[in-house]
Amino acid sequence: MSYDTAITIFSPDGHLFQVEYAMEAVRKGRCAVGVQGVDCIVLAVERKAAAKLQDTRTVKKIHVLDEGIALAFAGLTADARVLCDKARVECQSFRLTMEDPPSAEYIARHIARTQQEYTQKGGVRPYGVSTLVVGFGRAGEPKLFMTEPSGSFSAWKAQAIGKNSKNVVEFLEKNYQENQSMDQTLKLAIKGLLEVVESGSRNIEVAVMQRAGLQLLEDENVQKLIQEIESEA
Amino acid sequence: MSNIFNFHGGSVLAIKGKNCVAVAMDRRLGAQYKTVSTTFQRVFKMTDKCVAGFIGLGGDVQTIGADLKYKLNLYTLKENRQIQPKTLSWLISNMLYGRRFGPYFIEPIVAGLDENNEPYISTSDSIGCMTDGDNFFCIGTASELMLGACESFVKPDLEPEELFEVASQCMLSALDRDAFSGWGAVVYIITPAGITARTLKARMD
């Protein structure tokens, strides 16, 4: 008897196997790290080695959802794209009805709610994606949220998802400090990712969310930071 | 109550110039003969080089303005670039025809510079018949008055300063005569440098 083909069914010992399998898919996805600073949040993601003929512009792991809200994911790229599009529409819908931009928390909760729906509806499978949603709160404090295929939603000071994320989280737990400057936060996020990714700006993509908006770092700036990290070591 | 398009009043015009466009709108919102607002906004900024103006029923003007912001934000996120004026015109045309059998009681004007800074203006009827082939468009309760004035004063390839004068004079002379438009005007001039807005005082009635 298999309890994992229809997701609407619990196994006798209380597991939702499809949800757990989805988390496996996330664990196989490329690593993404988010770290909060005093006035910014840094997202660092593992970049896939680009195939020679590929246009790298079309492969992104960090997505802008709205002014002041961005998302990085680990897991199935297509599922992330669909989830992203739904979140973008929700941002605009919120702006239209509330005449105000949504908070990062509202959107993260919306994404989590969508992911949960797909664990209870008939005929669908869960999204094979965990996301890190970044933005700012009402008083302008930086916010970092994580959602998972189960639909759970939690706030973090620093978090990592995807391949070998456990190692990165261990590193972050040891080295995270409150209220670090943007430069320190950048270095911590990159150092954390470098624990599990080969060194080199070809393999790492970094973005910073500040109140003014999301800024994707140029390759050479990332390379410079990596060199500074290696020389400090 | 005979014509729902004239209930709230209001007029908008757009003129093409040399690497620039001008859009002028009046500021009145009325309930037939009664004036309700003298600061009604009927032109909306779409991109750094493009605006859209609407005449007709006030609620529909505001709703379409807000709805367009929604659609444009999604477009910008997806396409990673600003929308072109011509594309925006078709977007509005499709929005309007989508309500073919329960229409928005508005007429739109789109005016802007495309990616090569070529001036572009267009208008459409309330159910999306888009047209963009002329040097100027005038819509609203004072449209015929404005058309007459524009026909006399508009020349091809007007520089931004001249264009501002022509647009202002055409709008002001029409506002003087039309009872349902007035209470001042705002003239937007779009050049490659950006959008400038100037408010004019007219017969404040």
Side-chain angles (χ1 to χ4, degrees), chain B residues 80-99:
Chain B
N80 215 17
R81 63 182 175 91
Q82 303 282 53
I83 196 168
Q84 293 297 301
K86 190 169 200 158
T87 315
L88 179 64
S89 305
W90 286 116
L91 178 65
I92 295 173
S93 167
N94 279 303
M95 274 172 79
L96 295 177
Y97 196 85
R99 294 241 184 247

Side-chain angles (χ1 to χ4, degrees), chain B residues 119-132:
Chain B
Y120 178 90
I121 58 172
S122 74
T123 188
S124 131
D125 67 6
S126 59
I127 46 174
C129 176
M130 203 271 278
T131 175
D132 59 6

Side-chain angles (χ1 to χ4, degrees), chain B residues 25-27 171-172 175 183-187 198-202:
Chain B
M25 69 170 213
D26 75 315
R27 308 220 66 188
M171 174 59 88
L172 256 32
L175 296 194
W183 283 98
V186 181
V187 183
R198 294 190 188 92
T199 308
L200 307 173
K201 201 158 174 216

